Amino acid sequence: MSEMMTSFFIVFILRQFYAKIRKNILEREQLMKKKLLMLLTLFITLLSITSVKADDKPVKDTYKIASDSLFAPFEFQNSDKQYVGIDVDLLKAIAKTENFKITMDFVGFQTAVDQTQAGHADGMIAGMSITAERKNVFDFSDPYFTANASLAVKKTTTDIKSYKDLKGKTVGVKNGTASQAFIDKNKDKYGYKVKVFDAADTMYQSLNTGSINAFMDDEPVVKYAIIQGQEFATPITPEKIGEYGFAVKKGENPELISMFNAGLKKIKANGQYDKIVAKYMGNDASDDKKVDESTMIGIIKNNWQQLASGLGYTLALTLVSFVLALIVGIIFGLFSVSPSKFLRGFTKVYVDLVRGVPLMVLAIFIFYGIPNLFESITGQPSPLNDFAAGIIALTLNASAYIAEIVRGGVNSVATGQMEASRSLGVPYVKTMQRVILPQAVKITIPSLVNQFIISLKDTTIISAIGLIELLQTGKIIVARNFQSFKVYGLIAIIYLIVILALTIFARRLERNMK
C-alpha cells in the first residue's frame, strides 16, 4: 500500500513539475511573439516614415505646372504683364518653402487639364474643384481653398432676390465648372433656362447686353470683377460648391502632392496663406487700376508690346506652316494629275481625309491624342510641344487645299499643249516643267495668296491647344481689364490691316505676272 502511495506521489510531483515547465515555455513564447510584433510594428513605422520623407523630395530639376490664363483673382496678368493671383502666389510660396523648382504655363483651364492628362505638364493648379469624377483621372492635394459660388445680376436689377425669381429667365454659367453642376441640377426646380459659356468675359458681356438675366461663377471671381468696375450685384447668399485642389495625373508625381501638402500646412501655420488670399480678396482694386485702360489709346499704350508679340506669333505660325504646306500641297497636286492611277488615288484619299476633319479637331488630336498613344506604347512622355503641333495641324489642313489649287491650275491649261509637246517627243516631266507648270503658276497665284490669308485666320483656332497667338493675347488682356468691346475691336482692326495689306500685295503680284 505504501509503495502504491509513493508511486502516486511521485507521479503527482512529476505532473506538477511538467505543468510548471510547460507554463514557463508558453509564457516565453507569448513574450517572444509580443517582442516580434513590436519589432515588426516599429519596422513598418520606420519604413512608412522613410517613404514619406522620400516622397517629400523632388525627383525632377524643374516641374512644369499648367494653369488657367483667364481666372482672376486666381491667375491673371497684371499691368506689368506678369501672371499673378492666389494660385500663382500660393504655389510659388509652397515651392520656395519645400525647395523645389517650377515653371508655370498659363494655357487656359481645359488645355491645362488636357496637358496634365497627356503628360505635357507635371501638374496643374487652376481653381480646380475636387470631384469624385475627377478623382478617377487625377490625384489631388489637400484642399487649399473652399469654393463658394455667387449668383450675379446687373446692378440695376431689382426683381431677382431668390432662386424662385429666376423662373422663365436665362442663367449663364461656364462650361465644366462646379457652378454648372449646381445650375443644371436645380434648373427644373426653379424653372430657368441655362446658357453655357466657354469663358468668363463673354458671359459677363452677355449679362451687360441682356442676353442672359443672371450668371453663376465662383465667389472670388465675381468679387474681383466687381472691384475692377463691373456693375454687378449678388442678391443671393453664395452656395458652397466644393473645394479647390492641386492635381497631378493619377499615379504619377506623388512627391509633388506630398510636397504641396507639406508646404500648404507650413504657409498656413506661419500666416503667409492668409496674407496671399487677403491680397487678392480685399476690397481695394488691384494695381491694374494704376493704368487707365478704359480707352482704346490706353489699351494700346499699355499692351502694345504684348499685342505685337501675339501678332508675331501668329505670323510665325502662318509663314512656317504655309511654306511647309506649299511643298506638301504641290507634291500632292502633281500626284493628282499624274498618269499613275495609284498616285491619283493616294492623293484623293489624303485630300478627302484631311479636308473631312475640322482644323480644331485635327489640332487637338495631334497635340493630345498622338502623345497619349505614344506614351501608352513607349511609356515615355511625347516630346511634341504646342508650337510644333500647331504647325503640323495648319500644314496638313492647308496642304490639302493647296493640292486642289495646283490640280485645278494644271487642268486649266489646255490639254492640247500637253498632247502637242508629247507628240514632238518631249518627255512628260520636261513638258510639265517647261510648258504646263509656268502657265499653271500664273493661274494659281491669286488662289494661293487667298489660302495664305485663310491660314492666317486659322491660327485663331490653334489657340485651343494653348498657343498664345493674337486672339488669345486679347483674351488675356480682357481677363484683366474687362474691356471686351475695345480689346476685341482692336484685335479685329489688326487682322483687317494685315489682311488688307496681303490682298493689295496679291493684286499687284497678279497684275505684274500678266
Side-chain angles (χ1 to χ4, degrees):
M1 186 72 178
S2 117
E3 289 180 0
M4 187 178 293
M5 289 293 293
T6 302
S7 298
F8 275 120
F9 180 73
I10 292 171
V11 170
F12 175 77
I13 293 297
L14 289 172
R15 282 183 176 179
Q16 290 295 319
F17 182 70
Y18 173 75
K20 190 173 183 179
I21 291 174
R22 190 181 177 199
K23 184 180 178 182
N24 287 336
I25 291 171
L26 289 172
E27 286 178 352
R28 291 187 178 216
E29 286 181 351
Q30 291 292 332
L31 185 61
M32 186 65 71
K33 286 180 180 178
K34 286 182 180 179
K35 287 182 178 180
L36 287 172
L37 186 61
M38 289 175 64
L39 286 171
L40 184 61
T41 304
L42 181 62
F43 176 74
I44 292 172
T45 304
L46 289 172
L47 186 64
S48 63
I49 291 172
T50 304
S51 64
V52 169
K53 288 187 178 296
D55 280 349
D56 283 345
K57 295 180 180 178
V59 298
K60 295 182 179 180
D61 292 335
T62 304
Y63 290 93
K64 181 182 177 182
I65 309 300
S67 187
D68 202 346
S69 58
L70 313 168
F71 194 53
F74 288 91
E75 42 265 331
F76 64 100
Q77 272 193 351
N78 63 11
S79 57
D80 295 325
K81 315 304 178 301
Q82 299 296 317
Y83 276 100
V84 295
I86 295 173
D87 285 350
V88 180
D89 289 9
L90 280 179
L91 187 58
K92 286 181 178 179
I94 290 170
K96 184 177 180 181
T97 301
E98 295 301 300
N99 197 28
F100 65 94
K101 296 179 181 179
I102 59 168
T103 59
M104 297 193 71
D105 196 9
F106 300 91
V107 292
F109 181 80
Q110 189 57 49
T111 305
V113 171
D114 295 335
Q115 286 194 3
T116 306
Q117 282 186 283
H120 293 305
D122 298 307
M124 69 170 289
I125 185 168
M128 188 178 189
S129 299
I130 302 171
T131 64
E133 292 80 7
R134 286 172 177 167
K135 283 184 177 180
N136 293 328
V137 291
F138 293 107
D139 288 327
F140 283 95
S141 68
D142 295 336
Y144 68 85
F145 194 89
T146 300
N148 292 330
S150 290
L151 187 84
V153 299
K154 291 177 74 171
K155 201 171 185 178
T156 55
T157 301
T158 57
D159 60 341
I160 299 177
K161 298 184 183 300
S162 69
Y163 289 111
K164 292 180 180 178
D165 298 330
L166 293 172
K167 186 174 182 179
K169 293 180 169 58
T170 302
V171 179
V173 69
K174 285 193 296 183
N175 187 34
T177 61
S179 297
Q180 184 186 20
F182 177 86
I183 290 295
D184 287 341
K185 180 181 178 181
N186 292 283
K187 65 179 179 181
D188 293 331
K189 179 180 178 181
Y190 296 113
Y192 52 74
K193 293 175 285 186
V194 179
K195 188 172 182 179
V196 180
F197 295 86
D198 288 327
D201 59 307
T202 52
M203 184 168 66
Y204 297 169
Q205 194 64 34
S206 294
L207 180 64
N208 289 327
T209 58
S211 61
I212 59 175
N213 304 103
F215 70 80
M216 178 171 274
D217 205 353
D218 291 7
E219 183 183 19
V221 179
V222 176
K223 281 185 175 181
Y224 181 82
I226 293 172
I227 290 172
Q228 296 303 307
Q230 291 292 312
E231 298 291 324
F232 299 152
T234 54
I236 303 174
T237 304
E239 299 285 341
K240 183 177 179 180
I241 56 173
E243 296 172 313
Y244 293 164
F246 175 79
V248 299
K249 186 178 179 181
K250 197 167 186 67
E252 296 188 8
N253 300 312
E255 74 284 355
L256 256 181
I257 296 293
S258 182
M259 291 187 295
F260 185 93
N261 289 338
L264 182 63
K265 289 177 182 177
K266 290 176 184 176
I267 65 172
K268 281 186 174 181
N270 63 23
Q272 194 173 0
Y273 175 90
D274 293 330
K275 289 180 181 178
I276 290 171
V277 173
K279 178 181 177 181
Y280 297 100
M281 297 281 286
N283 294 320
D284 298 326
S286 73
D287 67 339
D288 298 310
K289 283 302 190 181
K290 296 177 183 178
V291 179
D292 181 20
E293 293 192 1
S294 61
T295 65
M296 188 76 81
I297 298 298
I299 292 170
I300 295 172
K301 184 178 179 180
N302 192 44
N303 299 287
W304 70 268
Q305 290 179 318
Q306 196 172 2
L307 291 168
S309 175
L311 177 60
Y313 214 89
T314 294
L315 293 174
L317 272 172
T318 307
L319 288 168
V320 175
S321 65
F322 190 77
V323 169
L324 294 175
L326 201 60
I327 296 169
V328 177
I330 289 173
I331 292 171
F332 277 102
L334 295 177
F335 281 176
S336 66
V337 294
S338 168
S340 170
K341 189 177 291 186
F342 171 77
L343 292 178
R344 292 199 306 271
F346 180 68
T347 300
K348 189 175 186 304
V349 171
Y350 172 81
V351 170
D352 291 346
L353 186 65
V354 174
R355 292 200 304 182
V357 179
L359 178 57
M360 182 179 289
V361 176
L362 184 63
I364 291 173
F365 174 75
I366 291 171
F367 190 54
Y368 299 121
I370 292 178
N372 182 261
L373 177 64
F374 180 85
E375 186 177 5
S376 65
I377 294 173
T378 65
Q380 300 294 325
S382 169
L384 189 67
N385 59 34
D386 52 4
F387 185 82
I391 291 292
I392 293 170
L394 287 169
T395 298
L396 290 174
N397 184 72
S399 66
Y401 292 96
I402 291 173
E404 289 298 282
I405 291 171
V406 172
R407 183 181 66 83
V410 171
N411 288 337
S412 65
V413 178
T415 55
Q417 295 192 39
M418 171 66 79
E419 293 171 355
S421 179
R422 295 302 302 277
S423 66
L424 294 173
V426 181
Y428 174 82
V429 174
K430 186 165 286 189
T431 300
M432 290 293 293
Q433 290 177 342
R434 299 292 181 85
V435 180
I436 306 300
L437 290 181
Q439 299 177 70
V441 167
K442 292 182 179 181
I443 296 169
T444 58
I445 284 295
S447 297
L448 290 174
V449 174
N450 185 59
Q451 183 58 46
F452 181 84
I453 293 171
I454 292 172
S455 293
L456 178 66
K457 293 179 179 180
D458 284 345
T459 56
T460 58
I461 298 174
I462 302 301
S463 64
I465 61 174
L467 284 170
I468 312 298
E469 40 67 65
L470 185 57
L471 178 61
Q472 188 68 10
T473 300
K475 290 181 179 180
I476 292 169
I477 296 170
V478 169
R480 182 181 71 245
N481 61 22
F482 296 99
Q483 298 292 331
S484 303
F485 176 78
K486 296 182 178 69
V487 173
Y488 292 136
L490 180 60
I491 298 295
I493 291 171
I494 293 172
Y495 272 111
L496 183 62
I497 292 171
V498 173
I499 290 170
L500 280 176
L502 287 171
T503 303
I504 293 170
F505 170 75
R507 287 172 181 168
R508 287 187 177 180
L509 184 63
E510 184 181 359
R511 188 165 53 248
N512 291 336
M513 294 188 70
K514 285 183 179 179

